[in-house]
Amino acid sequence: MEEADMMEFKATIGGKPAPVGADFAVLNPATGKEVGRAPNMGGAELDAAVSVAKAAFASWSAQDDAALQAACAAVTAKIEEHAGELAEIITLEQGKPLNGLGSRWEVGGAVAWAGYTTGLSLPARVLQDNEQGRVELTRKPLGVVGSITPWNFPVMIAVWHILPALRTGNTVVVKPSPHTPLSTLRLVEIMNEVLPPGVVNVVTGDDRAFNLGAAMSAHPDISKIVFTGSCATGQRVMRSAADTMKRLTLELGGNDAGIVLPDADPAAIAEGLFWGAFINNGQTCAAMKRLYVHDTIHDAVCEALVAYARNIKVGDGMEEASILGPIQNRMQFDKVSRLVADAKERGKVLLGGESGEGLFFPPTIIAGLRNGDPLVDEEQFGPALPIIRYSDVEEAIRLANDSPNGLGGSVWSSDIAAAKKVAGRLACGSVWINKHGAIQPNAPFGGVKASGIGVEFAEEGLAEYTDIQVVFA
Ligand code: NAD
């Protein structure tokens, strides 16, 4: 990208571009070069955003359901209209390719989710209607929702937060990760073309001098935080939300296990295993992060997986031939490098293992590892998959569940009924059979144990943006 093409988006607050004070650089992970600048905002700008969102809440929440639905449909159409532009911004700041399961796919997902969420509703329910009286349950919006997002799917996750908030009559202040603020700044600008001022606002900052997320979690005029990010930060959000009794949806880290049963067909599952683990370079909450393979087919599964992975082209995401891009940021690259260096001492590298230029790291598959090894126990959030050999299915279930996390899991088998039995025993929020990580807008998604609180998607996810009121007549 030429310097003239540097992306500089303003933050939209109250329907207008906020005055720009300090700003910070956003780097393209494929080149290490600056691709744009984002406003470096602090407490005063956050207060301004929350205050306009609070003011906008009165009229936004007073609309009837059909009007809210029509507004969400208009927002969905706007995102779709700008899909190509948003995909390019994502690739330039996030690193994932335009192609394949990359940024065009991410924006396509955002449009699909926005459309589906628009169509959902939470009608009042009559709990009782007899001579003793009529009891009705209604759902009321909360007020200002604070959305805090990570850097792996910046646009899709922002849409997962913003659309259900709007659909239920809330207003929003969204804060993207300092690594990927540009696509969210543009997304909010686009949404504001069809929304009244103050309904959706954005703040960005570099998390150095001032931590906007922490301030949002404690802000007295924010009623709910929807947070997607790491377990450690999610715990901080929960602590600082206590004083103001905020509603919380916390979608946190995972260390998803896949279990390959002895009757699986290695050739048939290889592609699914690969994408289950390496989608978005493994930088995906519900990616498969550890793979348990039965002794009898261990070598055949490893061979089939490596044969598939070998042909994946890694490169700059702006090139159409690239199927995987770089790791998004230096901190994550260093973490993956450390875990892989350690795993090389303990196991056998079947593919990859050596970092490339800059932040590039090839798909890496390491066998011969066990629970207790750091690459198995820690969330690598990168392109490195540990394979653990097992001989007893009971043992595999125990090892899979031996984790503080519980986001997703998968079972791979030719016998769906047998796989379902194993699935039911995994301690996690979603389990897939012969695939991994395939989330969809009509199925509630969330983690158990340290992977979070609450769910997103479907009516259950929508309900988290409301309080219940029961009227007894
Ligand atoms: P992170 O926790 O470092 O950052 C997430 C967001 O929190 C960023 O916007 C950051 O600026 C903000 N933040 C930083 N300090 C804060 C504080 N004290 N209070 C409030 N907010 C603060 O996470 P990340 O590295 O951006 O994302 C990767 C993690 O997210 C992985 O663990 C991944 O598994 C998880 N994730 C989970 C899901 C899910 O749905 N469960 C989805 C995607 C990613």
Side-chain angles (χ1 to χ4, degrees), residues 128-147:
Q128 177 187 311
D129 191 13
N130 58 20
E131 56 284 2
Q132 271 89 45
R134 184 177 165 94
V135 181
E136 275 180 25
L137 181 154
T138 57
R139 295 203 165 259
K140 297 167 75 87
L142 303 167
V144 179
V145 169
S147 149

Side-chain angles (χ1 to χ4, degrees), residues 260-266 293-297 390-391 393 412-414:
V260 180
L261 298 182
D263 69 346
D265 173 352
V293 186
H294 193 268
D295 203 23
T296 51
I297 55 166
Y390 76 88
S391 51
V393 176
W412 304 74
S413 167
S414 301

Side-chain angles (χ1 to χ4, degrees), residues 376-416:
V376 179
D377 283 7
E378 291 181 37
E379 185 190 31
Q380 68 276 50
F381 215 61
L385 179 68
I387 299 190
I388 306 107
R389 186 192 283 264
Y390 76 88
S391 51
D392 170 23
V393 176
E394 286 302 314
E395 182 202 8
I397 295 171
R398 185 183 62 74
L399 293 171
N401 287 338
D402 184 19
S403 164
N405 295 106
L407 195 55
S410 58
V411 186
W412 304 74
S413 167
S414 301
D415 179 347
I416 303 293

Side-chain angles (χ1 to χ4, degrees), residues 149 151 175 207 211 213 227-230 233 251-253 285 379 381:
T149 60
W151 47 259
K175 190 210 82 67
D207 280 357
N211 190 311
F227 171 87
T228 303
S230 63
T233 313
E251 295 289 0
L252 310 179
C285 53
E379 185 190 31
F381 215 61

